[in-house]
Amino acid sequence: VTTMLTKIESSGKTLVELAQYYLLKGEKQKSINFYEQALQKEEENFGILRNIILLHIDLKQFKEAEARSQEGIEIFPSQPVLYLTHGVSLNYLNRPKEAIESLEMGLDYIIDDKPMEADFYNQLAKAYTATNNLTKAKTFSDKAKKLQLSN
C-alpha cells in the first residue's frame, strides 16, 4: 500500500486519472482536489488548469474560477478559453466592466471556433446588459445568434 501511495503522490498522470475517475462518478469537488494536486506536479499543464476552472464554474465557485482563470491568462496568454472563463466568472460576480475587458481581449485569440465565439458574444451581451448598454448588448446577442444558426 505504501508503495502504491508513493507512486500516486509522485505521478501527475496518476493524479489526473484519479481526477477523471471522480469526475465520471459525479464527484466534482474530489475531482478538483486531484486535479489541483496534479497541477502542483505539472504547473505548466494547460489541460489540467482548464479542467479545474471549468469544474469551478460548473460548481458555481466563481471566485475560485475567476482567480484561476486570471492566473491562467498570465501563464497562457493566447488561450481564448481562459478569457472566456474569466469573463463568465466576472459576470457571475457582478463585475461586468471587467468581464467586458477580458472577453474583448480574448476574442482576438479565437481561430475558427464558431461555438466559442458565440459563447464570447453571449457573455458580452450579458455584461453589456448589466452595464445598461442595451444597444451593444443587442449587437453581441445578434452576433451570437447568427453564429449559432450557421453551425
Side-chain angles (χ1 to χ4, degrees):
V1 176
T2 310
T3 322
M4 193 171 97
L5 286 175
T6 307
K7 182 183 177 198
I8 289 172
E9 288 170 6
S10 66
S11 169
K13 184 175 185 246
T14 306
L15 291 165
V16 168
E17 289 167 355
L18 284 166
Q20 291 167 339
Y21 168 76
Y22 282 109
L23 186 58
L24 288 173
K25 287 184 64 174
E27 296 183 43
K28 294 174 184 172
Q29 190 58 56
K30 271 189 179 177
S31 181
I32 288 175
N33 295 341
F34 281 107
Y35 276 130
E36 289 283 1
Q37 291 175 46
L39 191 60
Q40 288 176 357
K41 306 245 181 254
E42 300 177 32
E43 293 174 6
E44 299 289 313
N45 189 317
F46 170 72
I48 294 172
L49 180 63
R50 182 195 59 224
N51 290 346
I52 291 169
I53 296 166
L54 292 173
L55 282 166
H56 279 311
I57 288 175
D58 198 30
L59 292 170
K60 300 190 181 339
Q61 299 169 343
F62 299 113
K63 284 184 179 175
E64 293 86 345
E66 187 274 331
R68 279 302 201 168
S69 54
Q70 180 60 51
E71 289 171 24
I73 288 169
E74 291 168 19
I75 301 168
F76 307 103
S78 63
Q79 292 292 337
V81 71
L82 296 173
Y83 295 90
L84 179 60
T85 55
H86 195 234
V88 167
S89 302
L90 290 165
N91 270 336
Y92 276 101
L93 293 170
N94 200 24
R95 292 162 52 193
K97 288 179 180 163
E98 293 170 75
I100 291 166
E101 188 178 314
S102 181
L103 292 162
E104 286 182 343
M105 282 186 1
L107 274 173
D108 293 338
Y109 297 106
I110 299 173
I111 300 167
D112 295 330
D113 189 339
K114 289 181 180 178
M116 182 182 287
E117 194 174 345
D119 288 343
F120 267 85
Y121 291 149
N122 281 322
Q123 288 300 315
L124 280 162
K126 185 176 182 176
Y128 276 114
T129 299
T131 62
N132 228 10
N133 188 334
L134 302 183
T135 306
K136 275 202 167 183
K138 183 177 178 353
T139 300
F140 282 111
S141 181
D142 290 347
K143 283 183 171 188
K145 286 177 187 149
K146 187 177 177 185
L147 280 174
Q148 289 162 335
L149 290 174
S150 71
N151 281 341

